[in-house]
Amino acid sequence: MKRLTVLTGDRPTGRMHLGHYFGSLKNRFALQRDYRCFFMVADYQALTTHGDRTEEIERNVREMVLDYLSAGFDPEQGVCFLQSQVPQLAELTTIFSNLVTLPRLLRNPTIKEEMREMGLSARATYGFVGYPVSQAADILLFRPALVPVGPEQGPHIELAQEVAARFNRLYGPVFPTPEAMVGELLVGTDGRRKMGKSYRNAIFLSDAPATVQEKVQGMVTDPARPRRSDPGHPEVCPVYACHRALGPDAETAVAGPCRRAEVGCADCKANLSVKLNAFLEPLRERRSHYEGQRGLIRDILNLGGCEARIEGGKTLEEVKEVMGLGYRGLLG
Ligand code: SF4
């Protein structure tokens, strides 16, 4: 039986953190055995925010592939490739850009939020506002059944679904409707926003044990619990959010004692440091195992690029055919 396809990816803008892991990496790598998985390193999309720092991208790509490997990517099972190595993605973006209106793009809540956070409203480039169209092409070129994403990516998947439906209606049935597989949203160590490298509130997958301990010690806790004898509200505490992400026993082992004021925040954090470091240790070991293999990342990306171009070529041929742009009579 033909395996269904999974497609997902990330912009290489820095090291990956626990928010990435629980938001998407955990889900996607669990699918490798049963699905045909494509993992894209979206280097062209990184230009939307790192166009003035392109010298950082190559290093970030290397770090990202190492993060993938440490978090469970198996190069024997999945395909990892660079967006810029698959020209069919740019062609499909051109085609899709005529299927989406500008007001529709500007209504996208994720784009609005990102523009507000980066203070971009007046300086937003065409590439930035249009990146969800490019992302729709990234997804649909591989005709996936499933797209594992973080919660903030929901609006982009909706757009990809709309584009697929519009294309199929206009030209012919080429694209299946991709379903989002939405992971957990993890709040950052400051307890104010989602975990994000630019917010300086992230615990990275490659952080050393002492760094993890230091970051956990500095985490914000329930502000309504200044004394150990005060009952806590774990639902507003980022320390509890991490405990919960790490295991199903958090409600009984952490939330209950916190609400009954049976545990102090210092002990709760010390316990989290131990749990987090135990969780991250196998990831660190895998990272250092792969880091020592010369040429491995080059081979993964070269092979992945080949496979992605073959897959993309098949889709694009079909796309052009149903659009009447195959030019068999004229050029054949
Ligand atoms: S005991 Fe733990 S969960 Fe409760 S407020 Fe303190 S750090 Fe947060």
Side-chain angles (χ1 to χ4, degrees):
M1 199 174 72
K2 193 170 180 272
R3 284 190 305 165
L4 294 173
T5 299
V6 166
L7 177 287
T8 189
D10 306 276
R11 287 184 305 144
T13 53
R15 291 188 295 155
M16 304 192 90
H17 50 69
L18 291 173
H20 291 119
Y21 184 85
F22 292 108
S24 170
L25 299 180
K26 181 181 166 194
N27 280 341
R28 74 175 75 163
F29 296 135
L31 297 169
Q32 289 175 105
R33 231 157 41 111
D34 300 323
Y35 289 78
R36 186 158 184 243
C37 292
F38 289 89
F39 305 122
M40 186 182 74
V41 181
D43 55 340
Y44 273 165
Q45 205 188 104
L47 298 177
T48 58
T49 52
H50 282 57
D52 55 348
R53 284 167 281 164
T54 49
E55 71 284 357
E56 293 175 14
I57 293 179
E58 182 170 338
R59 189 185 64 234
N60 288 342
V61 168
R62 183 184 145 75
E63 290 299 319
M64 175 167 285
V65 179
L66 280 171
D67 279 331
Y68 278 4
L69 288 162
S70 77
F73 165 53
D74 179 355
E76 299 289 319
Q77 293 186 321
V79 175
C80 179
F81 65 97
L82 275 164
Q83 184 184 29
S84 61
Q85 296 294 301
V86 184
Q88 292 92 349
L89 289 169
E91 285 193 62
L92 197 58
T93 301
T94 304
I95 292 167
F96 285 172
S97 62
N98 292 292
L99 299 178
V100 183
T101 65
L102 198 53
R104 172 66 183 88
L105 284 176
L106 293 170
R107 267 203 320 273
N108 183 317
T110 303
I111 288 285
K112 279 203 243 178
E113 175 72 8
E114 287 174 347
M115 280 183 14
R116 194 184 54 75
E117 281 185 354
M118 292 188 275
L120 274 180
S121 7
R123 293 178 293 112
T125 61
Y126 159 69
F128 182 82
V129 176
Y131 90 75
V133 178
S134 145
Q135 207 172 72
D138 297 340
I139 293 168
L140 294 173
L141 188 73
F142 298 92
R143 296 189 266 192
L146 266 184
V147 187
V149 286
E152 73 287 356
Q153 295 290 309
H156 298 338
I157 306 299
E158 272 173 38
L159 185 78
Q161 291 167 338
E162 283 174 33
V163 168
R166 195 161 304 153
F167 183 97
N168 291 346
R169 225 175 20 249
L170 263 177
Y171 303 112
V174 173
F175 299 107
T177 305
E179 286 303 323
M181 182 184 197
V182 181
E184 291 172 45
L185 181 80
L186 189 65
V187 69
T189 54
D190 58 2
R192 289 171 46 221
R193 293 183 287 201
K194 67 169 188 169
M195 191 172 281
K197 53 202 158 210
S198 55
Y199 304 144
R200 298 178 180 280
N201 65 1
I203 296 175
F204 295 101
L205 301 182
S206 53
D207 273 344
T211 309
V212 170
Q213 200 177 357
E214 196 183 316
K215 286 183 178 178
V216 171
Q217 269 167 11
M219 279 172 95
V220 167
T221 58
D222 173 10
R225 195 188 181 205
R227 290 175 299 270
R228 191 188 186 289
S229 53
D230 295 325
H233 305 85
E235 56 286 349
V236 300
C237 176
V239 178
Y240 177 64
C242 269
H243 274 295
R244 202 180 43 201
L246 286 170
D249 66 335
E251 173 58 36
T252 44
V254 181
C258 169
R259 288 193 191 101
R260 296 189 296 271
E262 290 170 0
V263 63
C265 293
D267 289 342
C268 187
K269 286 179 173 181
N271 179 16
L272 177 63
S273 287
V274 171
K275 281 208 276 187
L276 262 180
N277 274 324
F279 164 76
L280 289 173
E281 196 46 36
L283 278 77
R284 293 185 192 112
E285 281 169 13
R286 277 200 294 272
R287 175 176 254 271
S288 80
H289 167 76
Y290 287 117
E291 218 165 13
Q293 296 187 28
R294 217 176 138 78
L296 177 74
I297 294 175
R298 179 199 60 207
D299 293 347
I300 286 174
L301 292 175
N302 276 331
L303 189 65
C306 279
E307 291 201 35
R309 284 192 293 277
I310 291 170
E311 192 67 23
K314 287 185 212 157
T315 305
L316 203 65
E317 202 179 306
E318 232 178 279
V319 162
K320 288 182 177 174
E321 202 56 49
V322 297
M323 291 179 79
L325 300 176
Y327 300 121
R328 284 178 195 276
L330 192 64
L331 304 173

PDB file of all heavy atoms in Angstrom, residues 202-231:
ATOM      1  N   ALA A 202      13.629  31.253  25.776  1.00  0.00           N
ATOM      2  CA  ALA A 202      13.624  29.869  25.281  1.00  0.00           C
ATOM      3  C   ALA A 202      14.660  28.997  25.982  1.00  0.00           C
ATOM      4  O   ALA A 202      15.734  29.465  26.364  1.00  0.00           O
ATOM      5  CB  ALA A 202      13.898  29.868  23.779  1.00  0.00           C
ATOM      6  N   ILE A 203      14.319  27.721  26.123  1.00  0.00           N
ATOM      7  CA  ILE A 203      15.286  26.705  26.550  1.00  0.00           C
ATOM      8  C   ILE A 203      15.583  25.877  25.302  1.00  0.00           C
ATOM      9  O   ILE A 203      14.672  25.254  24.733  1.00  0.00           O
ATOM     10  CB  ILE A 203      14.712  25.829  27.681  1.00  0.00           C
ATOM     11  CG1 ILE A 203      14.468  26.708  28.921  1.00  0.00           C
ATOM     12  CG2 ILE A 203      15.656  24.669  28.010  1.00  0.00           C
ATOM     13  CD1 ILE A 203      13.782  25.997  30.073  1.00  0.00           C
ATOM     14  N   PHE A 204      16.831  25.931  24.851  1.00  0.00           N
ATOM     15  CA  PHE A 204      17.190  25.287  23.587  1.00  0.00           C
ATOM     16  C   PHE A 204      17.460  23.795  23.781  1.00  0.00           C
ATOM     17  O   PHE A 204      17.925  23.364  24.844  1.00  0.00           O
ATOM     18  CB  PHE A 204      18.415  25.977  22.973  1.00  0.00           C
ATOM     19  CG  PHE A 204      18.127  27.399  22.579  1.00  0.00           C
ATOM     20  CD1 PHE A 204      18.531  28.452  23.379  1.00  0.00           C
ATOM     21  CD2 PHE A 204      17.404  27.676  21.425  1.00  0.00           C
ATOM     22  CE1 PHE A 204      18.235  29.765  23.031  1.00  0.00           C
ATOM     23  CE2 PHE A 204      17.101  28.981  21.072  1.00  0.00           C
ATOM     24  CZ  PHE A 204      17.514  30.034  21.875  1.00  0.00           C
ATOM     25  N   LEU A 205      17.210  23.042  22.699  1.00  0.00           N
ATOM     26  CA  LEU A 205      17.436  21.592  22.759  1.00  0.00           C
ATOM     27  C   LEU A 205      18.911  21.290  23.006  1.00  0.00           C
ATOM     28  O   LEU A 205      19.246  20.248  23.556  1.00  0.00           O
ATOM     29  CB  LEU A 205      16.992  20.929  21.446  1.00  0.00           C
ATOM     30  CG  LEU A 205      15.522  21.126  21.046  1.00  0.00           C
ATOM     31  CD1 LEU A 205      15.215  20.373  19.753  1.00  0.00           C
ATOM     32  CD2 LEU A 205      14.585  20.660  22.155  1.00  0.00           C
ATOM     33  N   SER A 206      19.791  22.206  22.580  1.00  0.00           N
ATOM     34  CA  SER A 206      21.231  21.964  22.726  1.00  0.00           C
ATOM     35  C   SER A 206      21.829  22.679  23.939  1.00  0.00           C
ATOM     36  O   SER A 206      23.046  22.715  24.090  1.00  0.00           O
ATOM     37  CB  SER A 206      21.950  22.409  21.448  1.00  0.00           C
ATOM     38  OG  SER A 206      21.590  23.740  21.134  1.00  0.00           O
ATOM     39  N   ASP A 207      20.989  23.255  24.802  1.00  0.00           N
ATOM     40  CA  ASP A 207      21.526  23.908  26.006  1.00  0.00           C
ATOM     41  C   ASP A 207      22.235  22.887  26.896  1.00  0.00           C
ATOM     42  O   ASP A 207      21.761  21.753  27.065  1.00  0.00           O
ATOM     43  CB  ASP A 207      20.387  24.559  26.815  1.00  0.00           C
ATOM     44  CG  ASP A 207      20.074  25.973  26.335  1.00  0.00           C
ATOM     45  OD1 ASP A 207      20.899  26.553  25.604  1.00  0.00           O
ATOM     46  OD2 ASP A 207      18.997  26.486  26.692  1.00  0.00           O
ATOM     47  N   ALA A 208      23.344  23.330  27.512  1.00  0.00           N
ATOM     48  CA  ALA A 208      24.080  22.462  28.444  1.00  0.00           C
ATOM     49  C   ALA A 208      23.274  22.337  29.742  1.00  0.00           C
ATOM     50  O   ALA A 208      22.448  23.212  30.044  1.00  0.00           O
ATOM     51  CB  ALA A 208      25.441  23.074  28.731  1.00  0.00           C
ATOM     52  N   PRO A 209      23.518  21.261  30.517  1.00  0.00           N
ATOM     53  CA  PRO A 209      22.741  21.058  31.752  1.00  0.00           C
ATOM     54  C   PRO A 209      22.761  22.277  32.681  1.00  0.00           C
ATOM     55  O   PRO A 209      21.722  22.661  33.226  1.00  0.00           O
ATOM     56  CB  PRO A 209      23.429  19.848  32.404  1.00  0.00           C
ATOM     57  CG  PRO A 209      24.030  19.095  31.256  1.00  0.00           C
ATOM     58  CD  PRO A 209      24.418  20.123  30.237  1.00  0.00           C
ATOM     59  N   ALA A 210      23.931  22.908  32.836  1.00  0.00           N
ATOM     60  CA  ALA A 210      24.009  24.052  33.756  1.00  0.00           C
ATOM     61  C   ALA A 210      23.180  25.228  33.234  1.00  0.00           C
ATOM     62  O   ALA A 210      22.568  25.970  34.014  1.00  0.00           O
ATOM     63  CB  ALA A 210      25.466  24.478  33.929  1.00  0.00           C
ATOM     64  N   THR A 211      23.129  25.388  31.910  1.00  0.00           N
ATOM     65  CA  THR A 211      22.330  26.476  31.319  1.00  0.00           C
ATOM     66  C   THR A 211      20.847  26.224  31.556  1.00  0.00           C
ATOM     67  O   THR A 211      20.085  27.140  31.883  1.00  0.00           O
ATOM     68  CB  THR A 211      22.607  26.572  29.794  1.00  0.00           C
ATOM     69  OG1 THR A 211      24.012  26.631  29.612  1.00  0.00           O
ATOM     70  CG2 THR A 211      21.946  27.762  29.168  1.00  0.00           C
ATOM     71  N   VAL A 212      20.444  24.967  31.395  1.00  0.00           N
ATOM     72  CA  VAL A 212      19.034  24.621  31.633  1.00  0.00           C
ATOM     73  C   VAL A 212      18.672  24.950  33.083  1.00  0.00           C
ATOM     74  O   VAL A 212      17.652  25.590  33.365  1.00  0.00           O
ATOM     75  CB  VAL A 212      18.777  23.119  31.337  1.00  0.00           C
ATOM     76  CG1 VAL A 212      17.390  22.693  31.801  1.00  0.00           C
ATOM     77  CG2 VAL A 212      18.944  22.842  29.845  1.00  0.00           C
ATOM     78  N   GLN A 213      19.549  24.532  33.989  1.00  0.00           N
ATOM     79  CA  GLN A 213      19.293  24.765  35.414  1.00  0.00           C
ATOM     80  C   GLN A 213      19.161  26.267  35.701  1.00  0.00           C
ATOM     81  O   GLN A 213      18.243  26.707  36.389  1.00  0.00           O
ATOM     82  CB  GLN A 213      20.452  24.180  36.209  1.00  0.00           C
ATOM     83  CG  GLN A 213      20.092  23.919  37.649  1.00  0.00           C
ATOM     84  CD  GLN A 213      21.258  23.258  38.381  1.00  0.00           C
ATOM     85  OE1 GLN A 213      22.297  22.962  37.791  1.00  0.00           O
ATOM     86  NE2 GLN A 213      21.079  23.041  39.654  1.00  0.00           N
ATOM     87  N   GLU A 214      20.071  27.031  35.119  1.00  0.00           N
ATOM     88  CA  GLU A 214      20.059  28.484  35.339  1.00  0.00           C
ATOM     89  C   GLU A 214      18.774  29.113  34.785  1.00  0.00           C
ATOM     90  O   GLU A 214      18.148  29.955  35.428  1.00  0.00           O
ATOM     91  CB  GLU A 214      21.274  29.068  34.614  1.00  0.00           C
ATOM     92  CG  GLU A 214      21.639  30.466  35.028  1.00  0.00           C
ATOM     93  CD  GLU A 214      22.820  30.957  34.195  1.00  0.00           C
ATOM     94  OE1 GLU A 214      23.784  30.183  34.000  1.00  0.00           O
ATOM     95  OE2 GLU A 214      22.728  32.079  33.705  1.00  0.00           O
ATOM     96  N   LYS A 215      18.372  28.673  33.582  1.00  0.00           N
ATOM     97  CA  LYS A 215      17.158  29.240  32.976  1.00  0.00           C
ATOM     98  C   LYS A 215      15.920  28.868  33.797  1.00  0.00           C
ATOM     99  O   LYS A 215      15.019  29.678  33.970  1.00  0.00           O
ATOM    100  CB  LYS A 215      17.003  28.754  31.532  1.00  0.00           C
ATOM    101  CG  LYS A 215      17.991  29.412  30.570  1.00  0.00           C
ATOM    102  CD  LYS A 215      17.764  28.951  29.143  1.00  0.00           C
ATOM    103  CE  LYS A 215      18.723  29.642  28.190  1.00  0.00           C
ATOM    104  NZ  LYS A 215      18.577  29.182  26.804  1.00  0.00           N
ATOM    105  N   VAL A 216      15.892  27.627  34.282  1.00  0.00           N
ATOM    106  CA  VAL A 216      14.723  27.197  35.069  1.00  0.00           C
ATOM    107  C   VAL A 216      14.662  27.982  36.379  1.00  0.00           C
ATOM    108  O   VAL A 216      13.592  28.440  36.796  1.00  0.00           O
ATOM    109  CB  VAL A 216      14.752  25.668  35.318  1.00  0.00           C
ATOM    110  CG1 VAL A 216      13.672  25.262  36.313  1.00  0.00           C
ATOM    111  CG2 VAL A 216      14.563  24.911  34.010  1.00  0.00           C
ATOM    112  N   GLN A 217      15.826  28.175  36.994  1.00  0.00           N
ATOM    113  CA  GLN A 217      15.837  28.941  38.251  1.00  0.00           C
ATOM    114  C   GLN A 217      15.312  30.361  38.043  1.00  0.00           C
ATOM    115  O   GLN A 217      14.692  30.945  38.919  1.00  0.00           O
ATOM    116  CB  GLN A 217      17.252  29.008  38.817  1.00  0.00           C
ATOM    117  CG  GLN A 217      17.545  27.857  39.767  1.00  0.00           C
ATOM    118  CD  GLN A 217      19.020  27.733  40.093  1.00  0.00           C
ATOM    119  OE1 GLN A 217      19.815  28.621  39.771  1.00  0.00           O
ATOM    120  NE2 GLN A 217      19.386  26.631  40.720  1.00  0.00           N
ATOM    121  N   GLY A 218      15.558  30.907  36.855  1.00  0.00           N
ATOM    122  CA  GLY A 218      15.125  32.281  36.568  1.00  0.00           C
ATOM    123  C   GLY A 218      13.697  32.381  36.057  1.00  0.00           C
ATOM    124  O   GLY A 218      13.230  33.473  35.722  1.00  0.00           O
ATOM    125  N   MET A 219      12.989  31.251  35.967  1.00  0.00           N
ATOM    126  CA  MET A 219      11.629  31.291  35.401  1.00  0.00           C
ATOM    127  C   MET A 219      10.661  32.032  36.321  1.00  0.00           C
ATOM    128  O   MET A 219      10.761  31.951  37.549  1.00  0.00           O
ATOM    129  CB  MET A 219      11.104  29.862  35.166  1.00  0.00           C
ATOM    130  CG  MET A 219      11.617  29.237  33.891  1.00  0.00           C
ATOM    131  SD  MET A 219      11.165  27.496  33.759  1.00  0.00           S
ATOM    132  CE  MET A 219       9.685  27.612  32.781  1.00  0.00           C
ATOM    133  N   VAL A 220       9.725  32.713  35.681  1.00  0.00           N
ATOM    134  CA  VAL A 220       8.651  33.393  36.411  1.00  0.00           C
ATOM    135  C   VAL A 220       7.725  32.314  36.981  1.00  0.00           C
ATOM    136  O   VAL A 220       7.577  31.247  36.390  1.00  0.00           O
ATOM    137  CB  VAL A 220       7.886  34.295  35.410  1.00  0.00           C
ATOM    138  CG1 VAL A 220       6.587  34.787  35.980  1.00  0.00           C
ATOM    139  CG2 VAL A 220       8.770  35.453  34.987  1.00  0.00           C
ATOM    140  N   THR A 221       7.124  32.577  38.143  1.00  0.00           N
ATOM    141  CA  THR A 221       6.145  31.623  38.693  1.00  0.00           C
ATOM    142  C   THR A 221       4.815  32.350  38.903  1.00  0.00           C
ATOM    143  O   THR A 221       4.665  33.485  38.445  1.00  0.00           O
ATOM    144  CB  THR A 221       6.641  31.034  40.037  1.00  0.00           C
ATOM    145  OG1 THR A 221       6.869  32.123  40.928  1.00  0.00           O
ATOM    146  CG2 THR A 221       7.920  30.238  39.856  1.00  0.00           C
ATOM    147  N   ASP A 222       3.893  31.698  39.586  1.00  0.00           N
ATOM    148  CA  ASP A 222       2.580  32.311  39.846  1.00  0.00           C
ATOM    149  C   ASP A 222       2.770  33.599  40.662  1.00  0.00           C
ATOM    150  O   ASP A 222       3.209  33.549  41.815  1.00  0.00           O
ATOM    151  CB  ASP A 222       1.732  31.286  40.620  1.00  0.00           C
ATOM    152  CG  ASP A 222       0.411  31.875  41.093  1.00  0.00           C
ATOM    153  OD1 ASP A 222       0.073  32.994  40.659  1.00  0.00           O
ATOM    154  OD2 ASP A 222      -0.264  31.195  41.884  1.00  0.00           O
ATOM    155  N   PRO A 223       2.427  34.768  40.089  1.00  0.00           N
ATOM    156  CA  PRO A 223       2.664  36.029  40.809  1.00  0.00           C
ATOM    157  C   PRO A 223       1.783  36.174  42.057  1.00  0.00           C
ATOM    158  O   PRO A 223       2.096  36.964  42.954  1.00  0.00           O
ATOM    159  CB  PRO A 223       2.315  37.110  39.768  1.00  0.00           C
ATOM    160  CG  PRO A 223       1.489  36.427  38.737  1.00  0.00           C
ATOM    161  CD  PRO A 223       1.842  34.970  38.764  1.00  0.00           C
ATOM    162  N   ALA A 224       0.696  35.382  42.116  1.00  0.00           N
ATOM    163  CA  ALA A 224      -0.200  35.478  43.278  1.00  0.00           C
ATOM    164  C   ALA A 224       0.253  34.544  44.407  1.00  0.00           C
ATOM    165  O   ALA A 224      -0.514  34.234  45.312  1.00  0.00           O
ATOM    166  CB  ALA A 224      -1.624  35.135  42.850  1.00  0.00           C
ATOM    167  N   ARG A 225       1.514  34.051  44.305  1.00  0.00           N
ATOM    168  CA  ARG A 225       1.987  33.140  45.349  1.00  0.00           C
ATOM    169  C   ARG A 225       3.343  33.619  45.882  1.00  0.00           C
ATOM    170  O   ARG A 225       4.378  32.963  45.675  1.00  0.00           O
ATOM    171  CB  ARG A 225       2.112  31.734  44.746  1.00  0.00           C
ATOM    172  CG  ARG A 225       2.229  30.687  45.806  1.00  0.00           C
ATOM    173  CD  ARG A 225       2.551  29.313  45.280  1.00  0.00           C
ATOM    174  NE  ARG A 225       2.607  28.412  46.413  1.00  0.00           N
ATOM    175  CZ  ARG A 225       3.286  27.284  46.453  1.00  0.00           C
ATOM    176  NH1 ARG A 225       3.959  26.878  45.400  1.00  0.00           N
ATOM    177  NH2 ARG A 225       3.302  26.544  47.544  1.00  0.00           N
ATOM    178  N   PRO A 226       3.341  34.758  46.581  1.00  0.00           N
ATOM    179  CA  PRO A 226       4.626  35.272  47.064  1.00  0.00           C
ATOM    180  C   PRO A 226       5.218  34.423  48.187  1.00  0.00           C
ATOM    181  O   PRO A 226       6.435  34.390  48.367  1.00  0.00           O
ATOM    182  CB  PRO A 226       4.293  36.685  47.549  1.00  0.00           C
ATOM    183  CG  PRO A 226       2.825  36.693  47.802  1.00  0.00           C
ATOM    184  CD  PRO A 226       2.223  35.666  46.900  1.00  0.00           C
ATOM    185  N   ARG A 227       4.369  33.747  48.980  1.00  0.00           N
ATOM    186  CA  ARG A 227       4.879  32.924  50.095  1.00  0.00           C
ATOM    187  C   ARG A 227       4.587  31.452  49.824  1.00  0.00           C
ATOM    188  O   ARG A 227       3.604  31.109  49.174  1.00  0.00           O
ATOM    189  CB  ARG A 227       4.206  33.337  51.411  1.00  0.00           C
ATOM    190  CG  ARG A 227       4.641  34.711  51.929  1.00  0.00           C
ATOM    191  CD  ARG A 227       3.843  35.092  53.163  1.00  0.00           C
ATOM    192  NE  ARG A 227       2.421  35.178  52.842  1.00  0.00           N
ATOM    193  CZ  ARG A 227       1.827  36.299  52.426  1.00  0.00           C
ATOM    194  NH1 ARG A 227       2.518  37.416  52.300  1.00  0.00           N
ATOM    195  NH2 ARG A 227       0.541  36.301  52.138  1.00  0.00           N
ATOM    196  N   ARG A 228       5.438  30.605  50.386  1.00  0.00           N
ATOM    197  CA  ARG A 228       5.279  29.160  50.189  1.00  0.00           C
ATOM    198  C   ARG A 228       3.933  28.676  50.713  1.00  0.00           C
ATOM    199  O   ARG A 228       3.349  27.724  50.208  1.00  0.00           O
ATOM    200  CB  ARG A 228       6.416  28.428  50.922  1.00  0.00           C
ATOM    201  CG  ARG A 228       6.508  26.950  50.573  1.00  0.00           C
ATOM    202  CD  ARG A 228       7.509  26.251  51.479  1.00  0.00           C
ATOM    203  NE  ARG A 228       7.731  24.859  51.091  1.00  0.00           N
ATOM    204  CZ  ARG A 228       6.851  23.886  51.241  1.00  0.00           C
ATOM    205  NH1 ARG A 228       5.653  24.127  51.749  1.00  0.00           N
ATOM    206  NH2 ARG A 228       7.149  22.650  50.867  1.00  0.00           N
ATOM    207  N   SER A 229       3.409  29.352  51.754  1.00  0.00           N
ATOM    208  CA  SER A 229       2.137  28.918  52.356  1.00  0.00           C
ATOM    209  C   SER A 229       0.914  29.345  51.534  1.00  0.00           C
ATOM    210  O   SER A 229      -0.204  28.945  51.833  1.00  0.00           O
ATOM    211  CB  SER A 229       2.029  29.488  53.774  1.00  0.00           C
ATOM    212  OG  SER A 229       2.235  30.893  53.723  1.00  0.00           O
ATOM    213  N   ASP A 230       1.125  30.176  50.479  1.00  0.00           N
ATOM    214  CA  ASP A 230      -0.014  30.587  49.635  1.00  0.00           C
ATOM    215  C   ASP A 230      -0.357  29.465  48.645  1.00  0.00           C
ATOM    216  O   ASP A 230       0.548  28.927  47.999  1.00  0.00           O
ATOM    217  CB  ASP A 230       0.339  31.841  48.817  1.00  0.00           C
ATOM    218  CG  ASP A 230       0.590  33.049  49.698  1.00  0.00           C
ATOM    219  OD1 ASP A 230      -0.087  33.167  50.739  1.00  0.00           O
ATOM    220  OD2 ASP A 230       1.481  33.855  49.350  1.00  0.00           O
ATOM    221  N   PRO A 231      -1.649  29.153  48.483  1.00  0.00           N
ATOM    222  CA  PRO A 231      -2.011  28.166  47.447  1.00  0.00           C
ATOM    223  C   PRO A 231      -1.654  28.717  46.062  1.00  0.00           C
ATOM    224  O   PRO A 231      -1.856  29.903  45.797  1.00  0.00           O
ATOM    225  CB  PRO A 231      -3.534  28.021  47.598  1.00  0.00           C
ATOM    226  CG  PRO A 231      -3.878  28.657  48.900  1.00  0.00           C
ATOM    227  CD  PRO A 231      -2.810  29.659  49.215  1.00  0.00           C
TER     228      PRO A 231
END
